[in-house]
Amino acid sequence: MHFVTQAVTHPRVTQGVTMLNPVEGTIERSGRYHLNIRVPAELVGHFGGKEHLRRSLKTSDAKEAEREVLLVRAEFERELMKVRGAKNWEQELNRLSSDQRALFDKFGTLDKLLDAYEETRMSANFAIAAHSRHTTETEEELSREDELRSWIEERHERAFIDTELGILRQLGKTASRLGADVDLPSDLAEDGLHELVRDYREVSGADEKVMSAYENVARRFVELHGDVPLKDIEVSHLREYVKAAAGLPKSTRPDVRSLSFRAAISRAKQDHLETIGEKTVRKHEGLLKRLMTFAVERGYVDESPFAKFKSPRPKVKHSQTAKARKPFQPDQVQMILTYTKRYNPWTLDRWAPWLAAYQGMRREEIGQLRCQDIRQIDGVWALSITDAGEGQKLKNLASLRTIPIHPVVIDEGFLEILEGSLEDRPFLFREMPRRGPDLVDLKLCSDGRLTEPYGKRFARVLRTSLQITDRALTFHSFRHRWEDAAERANLPQTHRRVLAGRSGAGDSQAGYGDGPGMMALLASLTKIRP
């Protein structure tokens, strides 16, 4: 910062009254200078909430007043550097993986982390040197008993060295991520699962919910096996992970979720907590497999060690297996749609169930609709489900579609939402705030999605207000019901696929032609009566 002060001259006398020469950052009262400086917004909290500093400088000397002002300005500079430095430091900490952040928090400061790194480096070097001497000394002929004892000692030493090197790698990479100049050996600095996940985030463009799943499984893998370089990961690592993961607690209690991999398994055993199901374990397995496939695609490794791995599936009675999702029954659909009529006509709560029931749309597809996504095509009112706008995403390429609006939805008054100016809104629908009567715009959540808050509200209404308590019935049950209605109406598969935004995998005709026209789709859609 550069501060400009006015030149100092001698006091002036006007009509017998002494007038002090002006000094920037001061005002004159009773022949003395008084400080009057605005506090930078970032420092208001530091100065007890004061937006201005005002006090007597107890001097009528312009040079002394100027010096005092400069001292205050210098203090502002120092404090601003601290505040901005702290913000930058917090940003650096946020770049750490969860286990790296936990490691940093354990030591508290970067200096202490570096001290631990040096101590571990010396310990590892000492262990390696001692191990080398031991193996050299035992090259002579040994008895069977001594040979067995030497083999056990060698295994213990090797395990200790591997543990020390793993800790050294984690300490060094954490310090390096925070900007420290760490002389980490090249074989220990190689990319691991955390670096792979960061690369996947940049390349894939996956939303926060998906990336959170990848980051969590990478963290758990590292907690179990250490930060293994990608080139050293073997199929045995996945096999051991899948076996151990079956013991993870299902509990969402904060004191359980914050535990490390091994600690969480121990807590589950100790407190007899319910563990995660086979489906969740398979999800972990699938995420790790996908990461290693990505590692091949990006050239980190030549082939995935997990490619042929398949964990055993327990035999189950299919007749006793409950479906994860079930369709709503017709009377349940009617009950829900009737209930929505109490909501404001411009809200997501009013229209999301109608569009899901009659259009077969996914919840997020509905929430991200914009005013310009509704228009007439060949005289037919239609919806465009697209990812063209900011904040819009699609599940896959097949989800990109333009479909007619069901006549029942139009008769219900849906098009009235287009009345008035919507140009200043990011999305078509709005929602009620937690407090106050005014509607608010939909906003992206931390996971990159729009409709998570609405999904929770819908679930509460379903369970408490409408007494639909079956956990297999969710908002997505509308889509299942739509498919049943399409089946009963005998809709052509090509029409069903386009209307619902489903992939044409397995259909040899899916890639041919322009597909059904708008009038043909409308004729089919009109038959849907959920």
Side-chain angles (χ1 to χ4, degrees), residues 364-432:
E364 197 70 7
E365 291 176 345
I366 298 168
Q368 68 182 19
L369 284 173
R370 301 172 302 171
C371 180
Q372 54 265 45
D373 295 330
I374 302 174
R375 64 188 189 280
Q376 281 190 306
I377 299 176
D378 299 332
V380 177
W381 280 103
L383 292 168
S384 288
I385 294 93
T386 178
D387 60 357
E390 186 176 352
Q392 291 183 316
K393 295 181 180 180
L394 293 176
K395 182 177 181 180
N396 49 43
L397 181 59
S399 303
L400 180 68
R401 62 200 189 278
T402 299
I403 57 176
I405 302 177
H406 199 293
V408 171
V409 176
I410 294 177
D411 291 344
E412 186 63 22
F414 174 69
L415 294 180
E416 293 175 10
I417 201 171
L418 298 178
E419 296 177 2
S421 175
L422 302 178
E423 295 178 359
D424 58 338
R425 295 188 198 170
F427 300 103
L428 177 65
F429 298 114
R430 309 186 82 193
E431 61 182 350
M432 294 295 295

Side-chain angles (χ1 to χ4, degrees), residues 123-137 157 161:
S123 175
N125 287 339
F126 179 81
I128 292 170
H131 178 69
S132 299
R133 287 197 301 273
H134 174 78
T135 53
T136 302
E137 291 169 359
E157 289 173 359
I161 291 171

Side-chain angles (χ1 to χ4, degrees), residues 2 77 87 94 127 133 142 180 219 227 248 275 278 304 344 398 403 444 454 527:
H2 298 283
E77 284 194 62
K87 287 182 179 178
N94 289 337
R133 287 197 301 273
L142 297 173
R219 170 180 59 82
D227 191 10
L248 285 170
T275 55
E278 183 209 352
S304 169
N344 186 295
I403 57 176
L444 290 173
Y454 168 70
K527 298 176 183 178

Side-chain angles (χ1 to χ4, degrees), residues 11 18 76 89 155 271 289 301 317 320 399 516-517 524:
T18 302
F76 283 171
W89 178 244
R155 294 280 292 182
D271 296 351
K289 281 184 173 181
V301 294
K317 292 283 187 180
Q320 299 176 359
S399 303
S524 289

